[in-house]
Amino acid sequence: MSWFESFILGLVQGLTEFLPISSSAHLRLTAAFAGWEDPGAAFTAVTQIGTEAAVLIYFRKDIARIISAWCRSLVDKEMRQDHDARMGWLVIVGSIPIGVLGLAFKDQIEGPFRDLRLIATTLIVLGIVLGIADRVAARRGVGGRHRAAPEPKTIEALNARDGILFGLAQSLALIPGVSRSGATISGGLFMGYTREAAARYSFLLAIPAVLASGLFELTAIGEGHVSWGPTLFATGLAFLVAYAVISWFMQFISTKSFMPFVIYRILLGIVIFALVGAGVLDPHEGESIGGE
């Protein structure tokens, strides 16, 4: 991997990690469109450490408060009713599904799941799901002719059942094209949470899974065409770009719908199918070296 490739891929990782459009799919597609080798699962996972570092800094006050309350709840029974202490447990509980499924389907994630036709399919399908979830949330906020609009759930309403459901939604992101934030936010909207609540828990929930995945894949860097220097450079760049994206995205979703992302996902999926069908792109290109 050249330094130029790592610059472009690091930029793509930072721009797409927290938007509901799938960073792993865009890394795969960027390499395919440019004629480069697939950067693979190890590169994706390690550069995601950079984007998660942006989450740690952006939500540093929330995270410090949650960790502190959770640690105190281990010895103080009264603290176990505290929202921040419960949030610590809910992040742990919600992280279990992706951990189990990630290990169970590791070989598929690093190979067949990177087929461009599957990526195109997941881009379109999850785009439709996200669009439906967004419409459901919008209609819920309006209410009906003879009924008041139900109060949308805030993050304080999160419980163990919903935490597991969020975790199951997040595990779908093991397939490139799904999008971690897209899947978890869609799940949150269907469960009645506000966009802000769903996005905030989505970002917090991703921390253990992404950091664990990145650390697990560290040993794979240096194998094949992906070396340490360009990977670290891309990781640092992804961190800087991701921090700006998080700040923008949290403001965007407070007043805007997800429809621009829905339209983008569907159009991109259609374009990929067209290019693969025309023989311009090889759906299996780069699969032999692994991927996410």
Side-chain angles (χ1 to χ4, degrees):
M1 176 182 290
S2 69
W3 289 96
F4 178 71
E5 287 179 49
S6 70
F7 171 79
I8 296 299
L9 294 174
L11 185 63
V12 170
Q13 172 65 35
L15 285 171
T16 59
E17 173 66 19
F18 299 113
L19 302 181
I21 56 176
S22 179
S23 62
S24 57
H26 279 75
L27 289 175
R28 174 81 170 93
L29 291 170
T30 299
F33 284 134
W36 301 334
E37 289 187 85
D38 182 355
F43 178 86
T44 301
V46 173
T47 54
Q48 283 178 334
I49 293 178
T51 54
E52 285 311 304
V55 173
L56 292 174
I57 293 176
Y58 186 85
F59 293 107
R60 61 189 179 278
K61 294 181 180 179
D62 291 3
I63 294 170
R65 196 174 60 247
I66 290 170
I67 293 175
S68 175
W70 180 81
C71 289
R72 283 182 288 154
S73 73
L74 296 177
V75 295
D76 185 348
K77 291 184 179 181
E78 292 184 2
M79 280 298 300
R80 294 172 190 174
Q81 302 304 315
D82 182 81
H83 167 70
D84 290 325
R86 288 191 299 106
M87 182 59 66
W89 285 111
L90 290 171
V91 169
I92 293 172
V93 169
S95 299
I96 294 174
I98 196 170
V100 173
L101 294 174
L103 291 173
F105 293 96
K106 184 177 185 298
D107 291 340
Q108 289 78 9
I109 294 167
E110 295 182 347
F113 283 4
R114 296 183 77 80
D115 188 313
L116 293 180
R117 292 166 298 189
L118 177 59
I119 290 175
T121 300
T122 53
L123 282 169
I124 294 172
V125 171
L126 199 281
I128 293 172
V129 171
L130 179 62
I132 294 173
D134 197 52
R135 292 296 298 273
V136 167
R139 290 179 178 177
R140 184 186 299 119
V142 173
R145 186 173 181 179
H146 301 294
R147 62 180 176 83
E151 190 71 23
K153 298 180 184 178
T154 64
I155 200 166
E156 285 76 19
L158 194 65
N159 54 37
R161 182 192 72 91
D162 290 354
I164 289 290
L165 292 176
F166 266 109
L168 289 171
Q170 178 184 231
S171 65
L172 295 175
L174 292 169
I175 306 173
V178 169
S179 168
R180 188 188 311 274
S181 64
T184 51
I185 290 173
S186 294
L189 294 179
F190 279 126
M191 287 187 283
Y193 287 89
T194 64
R195 293 188 181 96
E196 297 92 330
R200 184 173 291 269
Y201 183 60
S202 171
F203 291 165
L204 294 175
L205 185 61
I207 294 173
V210 171
L211 292 181
S213 175
L215 294 173
F216 181 77
E217 294 286 2
L218 281 176
T219 56
I221 300 298
E223 299 177 1
H225 76 298
V226 180
S227 57
W228 271 105
T231 300
L232 291 176
F233 174 67
T235 302
L237 179 60
F239 160 72
L240 296 174
V241 176
Y243 188 87
V245 170
I246 294 172
S247 180
W248 172 82
F249 187 63
M250 292 303 293
Q251 295 180 41
F252 176 86
I253 61 175
S254 64
T255 57
K256 303 291 193 303
S257 78
F258 289 110
M259 289 312 296
F261 302 111
V262 172
I263 294 170
Y264 172 78
R265 290 180 64 101
I266 294 174
L267 291 178
L268 180 58
I270 293 173
V271 168
I272 295 170
F273 271 127
L275 292 176
V276 170
V280 176
L281 289 178
D282 178 0
H284 300 289
E285 184 178 356
E287 273 186 14
S288 60
I289 63 169
E292 183 190 42

